[in-house]
């Protein structure tokens, strides 16, 4: 059974008869109607694939008629016939999506036949296209869910990486703190033994008690540090003074003994603006960089730490320069690769600098490295300025000058 049903709508019967004759070469069933209203009734009762409608009709013109079809049966192919005077109306209807094509009067039989055949093929592809579109939407939704899941996993793995490296760095600090505690305990035991031998010397006993008080106080600081390291800290981005965070990092590493053998020279420029960042993550950046410097230097090493504006005055820069063994040309391009390390097996994870780079990128900053074998390394870390340009204080000084 032929299901290519076509509807011709024109208020002139001679036109509908002429169109029927012109379409004899098309494999189709032709319905005719003398008005838009009767045409809509035919569409309700029959599966119409294509409609040809005249533009100028009483009560309901062709564009209005085809617009009604579009609203109820958008799959039906809609063709409008018009004289040359009404071509602009037909083009407007096409642009609005109500009309598939228009046919100018008087029509060319071959052109008319070709347009109708193309229209019927277009109709047959409509449901396939709609099905493909629906499937595409479903697959797109699935891809979005997969993408969200992957992003969540990437975030989770990144956080795990950050935490693992933090643990590795803090593990080294914990070893140093443990070493310092052991030193203090040794001092306490030595003092106790001497005090027992000189228990009648009141001045010595008084001096010993004073030393005990200072050593126990130091023990309390180290114990507190041991208890606090490793606790997960949620990100907290806010406006911060970089010099305060940097001083805190240096102080912690001095107290833990990591930097106690080195001469530390600090020079912070005056009137530096604040930055916007997470102080704990920034502490992690410089803890890693300074521990790397510690591993690169001997006990006569020197650390120069400068805090200043970048040349373009868009960033606050920290320059950490050590007098260590330096990095070879073949290795300097690999230091940010995960798991790359030049230390002995078991001495380093190879995750420190990759994590540092990741944190800096999160802060929209940068890190540059300058190094020369046997002369030392300079790490330059830049952070963009905070919107609120509050000024941080100036500081110059030398730490561990007698170390």
């Amino acid at each position: 059974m032929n299901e290519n049903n076509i509807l011709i709508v024109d208020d002139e019967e001679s036109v509908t008869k002429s169109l029927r004759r012109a379409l004899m070469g098309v494999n189709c069933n032709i319905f005719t109607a003398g008005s838009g209203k009767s045409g809509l009734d035919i569409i309700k009762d029959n599966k119409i694939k294509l409609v040809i409608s005249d533009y100028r009709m009483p009560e309901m013109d062709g564009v209005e008629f085809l617009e009604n079809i579009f609203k109820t049966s958008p799959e039906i192919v809609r063709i409008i016939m018009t004289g040359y005077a009404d071509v602009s109306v037909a083009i407007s209807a096409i642009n609005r999506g109500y009309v598939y094509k228009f046919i100018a009067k008087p029509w060319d039989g071959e052109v008319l036949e070709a347009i109708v055949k193309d229209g019927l093929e277009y109709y047959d592809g409509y449901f396939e296209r709609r099905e493909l579109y629906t499937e595409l939407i479903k697959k797109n939704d699935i891809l979005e869910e997969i993408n969200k899941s992957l992003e969540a996993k990437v975030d989770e793995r990144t956080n795990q990486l950050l935490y693992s490296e933090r643990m590795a760095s803090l593990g080294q600090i914990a070893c140093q703190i443990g070493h310092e505690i052991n030193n203090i305990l040794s001092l306490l035991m030595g003092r106790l033994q001497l005090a027992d031998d000189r228990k009648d010397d009141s001045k010595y006993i008084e001096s010993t008690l004073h030393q005990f008080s200072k050593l126990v106080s130091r023990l309390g600081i180290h114990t507190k540090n041991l208890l606090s390291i490793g606790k997960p800290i949620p990100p907290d981005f806010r406006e911060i003074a970089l010099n305060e965070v940097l001083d805190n990092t240096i102080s912690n590493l001095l107290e833990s003994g990591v930097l106690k053998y080195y001469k530390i020279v600090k020079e912070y420029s005056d009137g530096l603006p604040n930055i916007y960042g997470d102080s704990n993550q920034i502490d992690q950046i410089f803890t890693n960089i300074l521990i790397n410097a510690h591993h690169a230097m001997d006990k006569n090493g020197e650390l120069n730490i400068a805090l200043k504006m970048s040349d373009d005055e868009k960033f606050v820069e920290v320059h950490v320069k050590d007098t260590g063994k330096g990095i070879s040309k073949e290795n300097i391009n690999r230091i940010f690769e995960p798991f790359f390390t030049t230390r002995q097996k078991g001495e380093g994870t190879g995750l420190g600098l990759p994590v540092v780079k990741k944190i800096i990128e999160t802060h929209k900053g940068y890190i540059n490295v300058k190094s020369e074998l046997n002369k030392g390394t300079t790490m330059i870390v830049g952070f963009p300025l905070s919107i609120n340009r509050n000024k941080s204080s100036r500081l110059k000084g030398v730490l561990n000058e007698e170390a």
Side-chain angles (χ1 to χ4, degrees):
M1 180 179 177
N2 189 349
E3 294 186 352
N4 289 335
N5 295 329
I6 294 176
L7 171 63
I8 299 172
V9 182
D10 197 300
D11 59 333
E12 294 183 25
E13 187 177 353
S14 60
V15 174
T16 58
K17 288 181 178 180
S18 180
L19 285 169
R20 185 187 286 274
R21 286 195 299 271
L23 296 175
M24 288 180 64
V26 179
N27 182 23
C28 63
N29 302 315
I30 296 177
F31 295 78
T32 60
S35 68
K37 184 178 181 302
S38 58
L40 292 174
D41 291 336
I42 292 173
I43 289 172
K44 287 179 183 177
D45 298 332
N46 299 274
K47 184 180 179 181
I48 302 297
K49 289 186 176 182
L50 183 144
V51 174
I52 301 174
S53 173
D54 186 26
Y55 169 60
R56 293 183 178 273
M57 293 188 297
E59 297 180 6
M60 184 188 300
D61 65 35
V63 173
E64 185 181 355
F65 167 58
L66 296 179
E67 184 177 350
N68 279 311
I69 296 175
F70 173 77
K71 290 177 180 177
T72 58
S73 305
E75 74 279 6
I76 295 177
V77 178
R78 302 165 299 281
I79 298 173
I80 194 166
M81 290 188 304
T82 181
Y84 287 112
D86 302 316
V87 167
S88 62
V89 175
I91 292 174
S92 175
I94 291 173
N95 291 336
R96 288 153 64 192
Y98 302 140
V99 175
Y100 170 68
K101 285 185 179 178
F102 79 91
I103 300 171
K105 291 181 180 178
W107 62 82
D108 178 283
E110 291 183 0
V111 173
L112 172 66
E113 184 175 317
I115 289 174
V116 170
K117 286 181 178 179
D118 286 346
L120 290 172
E121 288 182 6
Y122 184 84
Y123 176 93
D124 291 338
Y126 174 85
F127 294 99
E128 182 180 350
R129 290 193 301 275
R130 189 170 69 176
E131 185 177 343
L132 288 172
Y133 178 75
T134 303
E135 187 64 25
L136 181 63
I137 293 296
K138 288 180 180 178
K139 287 183 177 179
N140 187 58
D141 291 341
I142 293 171
L143 285 173
E144 283 187 3
E145 289 300 318
I146 292 173
N147 188 50
K148 288 179 182 178
S149 176
L150 286 173
E151 286 179 353
K153 287 181 179 178
V154 167
D155 289 342
E156 182 183 354
R157 294 294 169 84
T158 300
N159 289 334
Q160 288 175 354
L161 180 63
L162 290 171
Y163 187 70
S164 296
E165 178 52 33
R166 179 175 171 79
M167 290 300 98
S169 298
L170 293 176
Q172 295 179 54
I173 295 173
C175 289
Q176 294 290 339
I177 292 173
H179 179 70
E180 289 298 303
I181 289 174
N182 188 60
N183 288 342
I184 293 170
L185 290 173
S186 297
L187 288 171
L188 287 171
M189 290 300 297
R191 283 280 183 174
L192 280 173
Q193 289 172 1
L194 289 172
D196 187 54
D197 294 337
R198 301 174 62 179
K199 55 188 174 185
D200 296 329
D201 187 341
S202 60
K203 287 186 178 181
Y204 183 79
I205 296 298
E206 184 179 349
S207 172
T208 297
L209 289 173
H210 180 68
Q211 288 296 322
F212 264 44
S213 177
K214 289 174 64 177
L215 291 171
V216 170
S217 180
R218 283 176 59 190
L219 271 177
I221 292 171
H222 289 313
T223 303
K224 183 179 179 182
N225 288 337
L226 274 176
L227 291 173
S228 64
I229 64 174
K231 291 182 179 178
I233 303 172
D236 182 19
F237 278 74
R238 61 176 64 195
E239 187 175 309
I240 55 176
L242 189 54
N243 64 315
E244 294 177 4
V245 179
L246 195 56
D247 282 344
N248 184 66
T249 303
I250 295 169
S251 177
N252 287 339
L253 292 174
L254 283 169
E255 287 180 6
S256 66
V258 174
L259 300 180
K260 71 176 183 177
Y261 295 112
Y262 313 117
K263 180 180 179 181
I264 300 174
V265 180
K266 298 195 293 185
E267 182 169 352
Y268 299 170
S269 295
D270 191 21
L272 289 174
N274 292 337
I275 67 166
Y276 189 75
D278 182 296
S279 59
N280 288 298
Q281 290 189 353
I282 293 174
D283 171 78
Q284 188 173 352
I285 290 171
F286 293 109
T287 295
N288 273 285
I289 289 174
L290 292 171
I291 286 177
N292 284 345
H294 156 70
H295 284 292
M297 295 190 295
D298 57 30
K299 290 184 179 181
N300 296 317
E302 180 175 311
L303 272 172
N304 289 273
I305 302 169
L307 190 55
K308 59 184 181 179
M309 292 295 295
S310 62
D311 292 339
D312 60 8
E313 297 191 343
K314 294 181 179 179
F315 294 80
V316 178
E317 289 185 342
V318 181
H319 294 234
V320 179
K321 182 180 180 181
D322 66 51
T323 56
K325 56 190 176 183
I327 307 168
S328 67
K329 289 182 179 179
E330 58 267 25
N331 286 338
I332 200 165
N333 293 324
R334 300 191 61 197
I335 59 175
F336 295 109
E337 293 179 10
F339 307 110
F340 175 78
T341 180
T342 57
R343 296 185 205 164
Q344 295 296 319
K345 186 176 181 181
E347 292 184 3
T349 64
L351 293 174
L353 287 179
V355 169
V356 162
K357 188 170 184 287
K358 177 70 176 176
I359 296 174
I360 292 169
E361 288 172 350
T362 301
H363 284 74
K364 303 188 185 303
Y366 58 82
I367 180 168
N368 296 321
V369 184
K370 298 177 182 179
S371 188
E372 192 173 347
L373 277 177
N374 303 317
K375 290 189 177 181
T377 299
T378 301
M379 294 276 184
I380 302 171
V381 182
F383 297 96
L385 309 185
S386 172
I387 295 174
N388 186 358
R389 295 168 63 92
N390 288 339
K391 308 299 183 181
S392 57
S393 59
R394 178 189 178 95
L395 173 91
K396 287 185 179 180
V398 178
L399 304 181
N400 287 1
E401 192 167 20
E402 299 177 356

